[in-house]
Amino acid sequence: MATSKRSLTLLIAAPRGFCAGVDRAITIVELALERYGAPVYVRHEIVHNKFVVDSLKAKGAIFVAELDQVPDGVPVVFSAHGVPKAVPAKAEERGLNYLDATCPLVSKVHRQAERLVENGRHILFIGHAGHPEVIGTFGQVPEGLMTLIETASDAEAIEPADPDCLAFLTQTTLSVDDTAEIIAILQRRFPAIKGPRGEDICYATSNRQQAVKDIARRCEAVLVIGAPNSSNSVRLVEVAEREGAKARLVGRGHDIDLAWLEGVTTLGITAGASAPEVLVREVVDTLAEHFDVREEAVEGVQERMVFKLPRALEAAA
């Protein structure tokens, strides 16, 4: 006799998944493949998601760590996270046809960094060491003119040479709450510090974190669909835990640990900005194999942001 499945309510967060910058970056690779034919080289993962990267590989994209691995005469795309200035300069030197898929919101931070340094300020950059976006932003200004601040204790400890001539900028994919705490410390310690004109943390990161807060308060556990090297996805796990739900990152449906769901009656589901909606459906379908699921969409802010494509590809779109 068939055993009846245990019931499980799924709270599906919105907004979730792809943001405008990720959508644009993936479209750039796809249109480059259409226009130029395979192979199209991509320096670093276009976005931090294995499913997306593998899908583009299947279409003829080749992902490399450095520009030196790109042969002459083929197009190359720079990832959504941004690159140091030296990379496009090197591409031009070699005569490579390159397309810059840097998210426009990251490019905005790059331009702010240049202006602040031109005005003689030393930048305290709030971000995570080794993240491609941080490496790209540091590469916009001469060495030694920017210092990385990762934690509140870094903000308390930093002793800059000229405390009256400072500025701060942030990585676009940070925890809104953690970053606010660090900024408050910097502003307390250095009252003359200059901040960015607007918020550096991007709209999509903020919106997805708020959507997770809204569902985490109503459930015992949250699954975040995303990659471990995706900063915004890892932050979503932290946000859910801070709201009192246990939370876990999963890449695909087969990553779900059923034992971890023992005793869970309401489960929140969201996806990082690099995770496509097809993976959300895969996770829901996997859960439906084991539970009697009832889905509830929890609607948040409506996102209407769209970014223009590079001029070279606009006609192909």
Side-chain angles (χ1 to χ4, degrees):
M1 191 174 87
T3 55
S4 60
K5 295 177 183 175
R6 180 162 71 79
S7 62
L8 182 66
T9 299
L10 305 181
L11 302 182
I12 317 279
R16 64 180 175 275
F18 278 1
C19 61
V22 164
D23 213 24
R24 174 180 180 269
I26 294 166
T27 301
I28 286 170
V29 178
E30 290 174 337
L31 289 177
L33 284 162
E34 275 178 36
R35 169 164 284 200
Y36 305 112
V40 166
Y41 280 71
V42 184
R43 183 187 176 276
H44 290 182
E45 289 189 346
I46 188 70
V47 296
H48 284 155
N49 187 276
K50 185 179 185 303
F51 179 87
V52 170
V53 168
D54 288 348
S55 302
L56 292 171
K57 279 181 185 173
K59 294 176 182 177
I62 296 174
F63 292 83
V64 295
E66 296 303 338
L67 207 58
D68 298 348
Q69 296 166 267
V70 179
D72 291 337
V74 294
V76 60
V77 180
F78 302 148
S79 85
H81 310 101
V83 294
K85 272 185 176 173
V87 174
K90 180 76 176 167
E92 283 170 17
E93 194 183 295
R94 286 183 52 195
L96 290 176
N97 177 15
Y98 70 85
L99 295 159
D100 190 354
T102 301
C103 171
L105 299 179
V106 174
S107 298
K108 187 183 83 170
V109 176
H110 290 180
R111 290 192 297 272
Q112 290 179 102
E114 289 175 315
R115 279 197 298 271
L116 290 165
V117 165
E118 281 166 13
N119 292 335
R121 289 184 182 266
H122 184 91
I123 299 168
L124 302 181
F125 190 80
I126 304 166
H128 297 295
H131 190 278
E133 186 185 327
V134 173
I135 293 166
T137 305
F138 267 69
Q140 304 305 309
V141 301
E143 207 170 319
L145 299 182
M146 204 181 283
T147 301
L148 186 65
I149 304 289
E150 290 196 83
T151 62
S153 47
D154 288 349
E156 291 285 9
I158 183 88
E159 294 295 347
D162 185 354
D164 294 325
C165 210
L166 294 174
F168 72 84
L169 294 170
T170 84
Q171 188 179 327
T172 63
T173 54
L174 299 178
S175 155
V176 173
D177 295 336
D178 288 348
T179 306
E181 181 192 358
I182 292 170
I183 290 169
I185 293 167
L186 294 177
Q187 290 173 329
R188 167 174 55 75
R189 292 193 64 213
F190 312 113
I193 196 166
K194 183 177 172 61
R197 283 193 194 136
E199 180 71 68
D200 278 347
I201 295 177
C202 83
Y203 77 96
T205 297
S206 302
N207 290 348
R208 277 151 192 70
Q209 287 181 22
Q210 185 57 53
V212 164
K213 284 182 183 180
D214 292 343
I215 62 168
R217 294 166 188 152
R218 296 177 50 198
C219 55
E220 300 97 348
V222 174
L223 287 179
V224 177
I225 301 157
N229 60 341
S230 162
S231 174
N232 77 85
S233 301
V234 174
R235 302 292 82 74
L236 292 176
V237 172
E238 293 169 356
V239 167
E241 288 174 337
R242 195 170 287 175
E243 292 300 318
K246 64 177 185 174
R248 185 170 277 194
L249 196 63
V250 292
R252 304 285 304 263
H254 56 64
D255 296 328
I256 296 167
D257 176 4
L258 295 175
W260 186 76
L261 293 172
E262 197 65 50
V264 172
T265 58
T266 306
L267 175 68
I269 292 181
T270 190
S274 312
E277 184 62 18
V278 65
L279 296 185
V280 177
R281 297 322 309 168
E282 180 183 286
V283 163
V284 172
D285 290 345
T286 302
L287 290 167
E289 290 170 15
H290 303 278
F291 301 95
D292 177 16
V293 301
R294 182 180 70 83
E295 289 184 53
E296 181 188 330
V298 182
E299 293 298 333
V301 181
Q302 291 283 314
E303 291 181 345
R304 295 186 174 85
M305 184 78 77
V306 179
F307 294 131
K308 286 170 73 172
L309 292 166
R311 208 169 286 122
L313 289 179
E314 277 178 335

